[in-house]
Amino acid sequence: MGVFDIFKRVRYYSPMTQVVLVGLVCFLCPGMYNALNGMGGSGQVDRTTGNNANTALYSTFIVFGIAGGSIVNLCGVRWTIAISGLTYALYSGSYIYLNHTGSGSFTIAAGALLGIGAGIMWAAQGMIMVSYPREEEKGRYIAVFWIIFNLGGMLGGVLPFAINFHSDSNSLSDGVYIAFVILECLGAALGLALAPPSKVVRDDGTSVVMVKYTNAAKEAVEIVKLFLNPTMLALLPMCFTSNFFYSYQFGPVNASIFNIRTRGFNNIFYWGAQMAGAYALSFLLDNQNMTRRRRGLFAFGIVAVFFNVIWGGTLKQQLRYTHGPLPSGETTDYPGGLLDFMETKRASGPIILYMLYGLGDALYQNLAYWIIGSLTNDSQRLSRYSGFYKGIQSLGATVAWQLDAKNVSYLNQFIGNWVLLVISLFPMFYVVYNLTDHSEDPPLAVFEDVDKQSVASASYSVEKTV
């Protein structure tokens, strides 16, 4: 079968096609943002502006993450994702202004706008990713999205690595930021290619959504109900912790002990490890030889042990230094100075540890999304649950980025991360332990007028290519 024959058999309105499309949008928008943010201070020597911009970003993200599900339910996925994508381009472009003026006000304002766009985009993405697949496919769909999305961060790490390979500067050049802006604009345009959820039909003929009508008043009530839902309240620590570690990993670690080209090198493997972790965990989460609870408990055990091991390794590393390069010109106090990836004897251990951070992030967040997807099959509720997850996640990130902005000691930031992780594990275990094999929602209606030949053709294509 030729490449073009495979494309002919791809069904536009299938759930997998839509998950791949939203994955490509996030590859080009949040993926590029992650690559930039992973440089520490978004590639600036002085991380103050980047930290304050992230604080502004996550402050608005809290509100629009929680409200994002309702906005998507009211306005649909196409234009909300497309417009949200443009806020990523604006944010990356603001660093060109910062490079030439030294003023961070525009970057901080762009960060606040990005928080609005990101909150809405991630609510829409979460709804597509966890409500479109059948129950037994959710782990695989989450993994497919996570791999495509983090490919953006991985390839985004190649840009600063290649452009700054021979540079002695500790800041990114305009060319890197311009490349990010172009890619993010392409991602925003791709959002218009998404199909409305009401038209997406699975290969077995079932619709991914039951036809429901909503309005602003109802959505406002449903947002309030999220904070009265015992299960969502139990997941609050998980949501709060799930992005808290980014500021520590990107700033006190990557930006503080590695030179500029090695930061980009690290990001290639950080986001690459995320892809590997998501792919590996999907086999366990979709294993139909075990009950849903048993799968969840095994995955929970892996996450709990893995994270505690890497934080233990981080403690040993953190006790060796107290600060990174300073705006005054003083370099890091890490023994031997900034690490370069060519210094294999010195750098290999810290680089491997940083790569394992990415693997741990993928394991934690994929399990979190799988838990949320296991609570219901209702797309409107899942859009609200996803928004709640991202909103509370952003609250944690707001606190974390401000800790670094206020120059809280690296050791105290590390301790805070480890303590929050341990606290989050107990209620997460409770929710996983109480999962049932099937969500409580009634079966979705079958669309009798679906093009059966198209469905059969798509199914045949999957069987032949797997």
Side-chain angles (χ1 to χ4, degrees):
M1 182 185 295
V3 174
F4 292 105
D5 291 327
I6 294 174
F7 280 110
K8 287 178 182 177
R9 292 180 182 274
V10 172
R11 196 163 54 85
Y12 171 65
Y13 289 112
S14 74
M16 181 57 78
T17 300
Q18 298 303 309
V19 168
V20 169
L21 282 173
V22 79
L24 290 171
V25 172
C26 291
F27 164 93
L28 291 165
C29 293
M32 293 301 116
Y33 165 81
N34 280 347
L36 187 62
N37 216 30
M39 298 295 294
S42 293
Q44 299 289 312
V45 175
D46 185 356
R47 299 200 307 274
T48 303
T49 297
N51 286 336
N52 286 332
N54 276 314
T55 301
L57 187 164
Y58 286 109
S59 296
T60 53
F61 202 149
I62 296 168
V63 177
F64 283 88
I66 294 171
S70 295
I71 293 172
V72 172
N73 288 342
L74 291 168
C75 303
V77 297
R78 277 179 169 167
W79 284 102
T80 52
I81 286 181
I83 294 172
S84 296
L86 293 176
T87 63
Y88 285 90
L90 178 66
Y91 179 75
S92 296
S94 71
Y95 281 95
I96 300 173
Y97 178 81
L98 177 62
N99 271 351
H100 290 274
T101 66
S103 173
S105 56
F106 178 42
T107 301
I108 294 170
L113 289 173
L114 175 54
I116 297 172
I120 297 169
M121 176 179 285
W122 280 106
Q125 172 274 331
M127 183 271 289
I128 292 171
M129 184 178 68
V130 297
S131 72
Y132 282 16
R134 296 191 298 268
E135 288 185 346
E136 66 272 17
E137 299 174 326
K138 292 192 178 186
R140 181 163 65 96
Y141 274 62
I142 292 170
V144 167
F145 168 81
W146 209 256
I147 289 170
I148 297 172
F149 159 52
N150 283 293
L151 184 61
M154 183 180 176
L155 295 183
V158 172
L159 284 174
F161 174 65
I163 294 174
N164 292 278
F165 190 85
H166 297 293
S167 174
D168 294 325
S169 172
N170 274 324
S171 294
L172 294 180
S173 64
D174 287 353
V176 177
Y177 294 116
I178 291 170
F180 281 133
V181 169
I182 294 171
L183 291 171
E184 287 159 346
C185 286
L186 289 173
L190 188 59
L192 297 176
L194 289 164
S198 60
K199 292 186 177 181
V200 180
V201 181
R202 302 188 181 98
D203 290 346
D204 61 4
T206 57
S207 172
V208 301
V209 295
M210 291 186 296
V211 178
K212 291 184 176 181
Y213 297 97
T214 188
N215 54 55
K218 179 183 177 182
E219 291 297 333
V221 172
E222 294 298 332
I223 290 173
V224 174
K225 286 182 178 179
L226 288 172
F227 292 93
L228 303 176
N229 184 321
T231 302
M232 299 311 292
L233 292 177
L235 292 177
L236 267 172
M238 177 192 80
C239 301
F240 187 88
T241 304
S242 58
N243 264 11
F244 195 91
F245 44 77
Y246 278 174
S247 67
Y248 174 78
Q249 293 172 356
F250 297 161
V253 179
N254 200 29
S256 296
I257 65 174
F258 298 100
N259 63 22
I260 190 73
R261 69 177 185 176
T262 306
R263 292 187 224 168
F265 179 83
N266 287 345
N267 280 334
I268 295 170
F269 291 96
Y270 181 95
W271 303 113
Q274 297 237 9
M275 296 160 63
Y279 179 74
L281 192 64
S282 68
F283 289 99
L284 172 59
L285 296 178
D286 284 345
N287 189 335
Q288 297 305 300
N289 295 321
M290 293 187 286
T291 64
R292 180 183 274 175
R293 176 192 294 176
R294 189 173 181 84
R295 283 176 273 152
L297 290 175
F298 268 116
F300 170 83
I302 292 171
V303 168
V305 171
F306 187 87
F307 248 105
N308 279 289
V309 168
I310 62 173
W311 281 133
T314 302
L315 175 60
K316 182 180 179 180
Q317 176 176 277
Q318 183 57 75
L319 292 174
R320 305 186 68 194
Y321 69 103
T322 61
H323 67 81
L326 303 175
S328 62
E330 183 182 352
T331 189
T332 180
D333 62 346
Y334 187 84
L338 292 174
L339 295 167
D340 185 86
F341 75 97
M342 297 293 288
E343 302 175 273
T344 53
K345 188 174 181 179
R346 289 182 65 225
S348 57
I351 288 174
I352 291 172
L353 180 61
Y354 191 78
M355 178 186 71
L356 293 177
Y357 290 160
L359 180 59
D361 181 22
L363 295 176
Y364 193 97
Q365 293 215 57
N366 276 252
L367 176 59
Y369 271 117
W370 181 83
I371 292 170
I372 291 170
S374 298
L375 300 178
T376 181
N377 292 320
D378 185 303
S379 62
Q380 289 190 357
R381 290 175 63 187
L382 282 172
S383 69
R384 300 183 195 109
Y385 287 175
S386 297
F388 179 88
Y389 171 65
K390 298 302 291 187
I392 302 303
Q393 180 186 78
S394 300
L395 175 61
T398 301
V399 175
W401 286 108
Q402 233 355 252
L403 291 177
D404 196 37
K406 298 299 183 183
N407 296 315
V408 173
S409 74
Y410 288 0
L411 182 60
N412 285 339
Q413 289 187 52
F414 162 75
I415 292 171
N417 273 278
W418 201 348
V419 169
L420 282 172
L421 168 75
V422 173
I423 291 172
S424 74
L425 294 176
F426 293 99
M428 189 191 297
F429 173 83
Y430 170 79
V431 174
V432 172
Y433 185 79
N434 286 283
L435 289 176
T436 58
D437 275 347
H438 298 285
S439 302
E440 76 282 6
D441 306 298
L444 298 178
V446 176
F447 274 36
E448 298 295 344
D449 59 344
V450 172
D451 183 348
K452 299 298 183 183
Q453 184 178 357
S454 173
V455 171
S457 174
S459 300
Y460 172 79
S461 175
V462 171
E463 291 170 3
K464 293 290 285 182
T465 55
V466 168

